[in-house]
Structures are given as C-alpha cells and as structure tokens.
Amino acid sequence: MESINTPLISIVVPAYNIEPWIGECLGSLASQTYRNIEVVIVDDESADATADAAEAFCKADSRFSLIKASHGGLSATRNKGIEAATGDWLLFVDGDDCLEPWAVETLVHTAMSLGTDAAIGGMRRGKRYSPSRRPVSETELWSYAETMSKALYQNLMINHAWGALMRRHLVTDNGGFREGILYEDLDSFYRFYEQAGRIAWTSAPLYFYRRTPGSILDTWKPQRLDVLDVTDRLLEFMQARHPDLVRAAEDRRFSAHFNMLVLMLRLGIDDNKAIERCRKVIKKYRARTLADPRVRLKNKLGAIASYGGTRLIRALSLIVG
C-alpha cells in the first residue's frame, strides 16, 4: 500500500489509431522517476496495431493495463479509464503525447507541498520527442478566479485535461467528460477545478504535445461547431456561479465564435445558420472586447476586423490562412 507521501497516481491514456506514437508515449510513462503509478490504456477500437503495442507494455510491466472500448470517442474513452482506475489521483495523457521523466514526481510534489487537489505543469510542442533536462522552475498557487481568468483570457494554455494532476473526486463528482462532443476539455476544466478551490502551477515543461496529421486543428467536420455550445455553457456557468468571471467567459465565447467564423469563411463552408450565429455573438461583444485591457491582441484585432463585415473577414482569413 502506498504511503500518504507517495500516493498511487492513475494515468489514463486514451488511444485510437496511433500506432506510430503509442510506444513512445507509454515508454515515457514507464520511465517516470515517480514509480507508484498505474497506467490504464483504453483502446477505442483502433484499426491499426495500437492495441498490440499497448499489450506489449502490459506484459512487460504489471503497472500497465489495457481496456478495449467500442469506438465511443475521446470523452467516453477517458470515462472508461476513470472507472477502471484505482488511484485517488488522476492524470490524463493522450496516447500520441509524452511526459518528461520527472513529470509525475514534479506534479505530486507540487500538489502535496502546496496542499491542493489540482496541479498543472507547463508544456512544450514538437514533432519528435526527446527527454529534456529538468529545468529550474517557478511554482505558484492560484485561486479559482485567478486560474480561470488566465485560462479564459487565453494568457496561459491550461484549459485542457491532459497533463494536469487532479484528485479523482474533482472529475467524478462533476460527471466526468461530456460524451459525444468535441472540445471536451474546454467543456470540463472549469467544472473540475471549481471544487479544488486553489490550483497549483509549475512553469516546468512537463508535457510534450505532438501535433499529428489529422488532428482536430488540421481538419474540418461539422462537430467543430460544438465549441459554440461549449462556450455558451461556460458563460452560463459563470453567470450563475462566478459573476466576477463573466467578462472573461464572454471573451472566450467571442474568441470561439470568431475563430469558427474565420474557419468557415476560409474553407468555404456553406452553413448560413452557423455563420449568422457567429456574427451575432461577435457583434454583441466586439465593443467590450476592444475596451477590455485584459483581452489579448489577437481578439482585439478580430473585433476591429469585424466592423468591416464578412467580406473583410473572409479576405483576411485567406491572407493569414
């Protein structure tokens, strides 16, 4: 049985058709300096050899286990992993990404030393992963309001599930991940962190994010419009429970609707209903966006461009796209 100072950390790894990268991901977990982990891999009915690669790790290391799912999507896959996990702490790692060898150790130490139920680390991006040296890092403890302000104004990339260490109850008490949608992380992070109250953050780049071909950022599908509903719900949540965060939620809603409008115009997506929906939200918030000093420059430029109408936005989208 683990001691109170070395709790069991359940790492949930959703996996779907990631044969080229799953071995590197699981290898980075096996080499963690913090040893008291269990790795729950959930294969979402992959058509390639992803499951075979995962099974090899399970045979070699008793801390690894594999669950077969029925192609339910990322949220359903994560939820299955949560059900199977036995640790009191959860950490999500996408199966094509990696953790630095000292990532779990750093997150556990950060959370426990600061007495919080949630800890977030930094990240780095790239096409090829190689372990980095452990850097000198800063650690801070933020209130819920501080954390959400940084996330919603998009000053810091923390509105994701992967790479964050959380007490299990933060996820399970809030219904887990909403199934059947895209942008499930944006839909859930503010609900999970609310119960924690205080959130620890370390600047150390613990998570390696690999942008792979066919990712959500590289393709169009109608489900990408889910982000409009997601940010609508986010705003409603803040209006009901955190009035001091309403303006930040409005900015995040503005950003989502503007980004979708630009994408649809650039790709020639013929969805007049969705385009008009985006235009109404942009028009509603653009003056406030320009007046708010906390809004990032990208959103302010978008607000300015919106006064030129759809034709100007389409022209600009083609230039920058």
Side-chain angles (χ1 to χ4, degrees), residues 110 120 135-140 201-204:
T110 299
I120 309 168
V136 176
S137 59
E138 300 177 358
T139 301
E140 298 180 15
W201 173 79
T202 173
S203 63

Side-chain angles (χ1 to χ4, degrees), residues 124-138:
R124 62 187 178 97
R125 301 172 186 265
K127 293 183 178 180
R128 296 183 179 180
Y129 171 72
S130 60
S132 63
R133 293 183 178 181
R134 189 190 300 232
V136 176
S137 59
E138 300 177 358

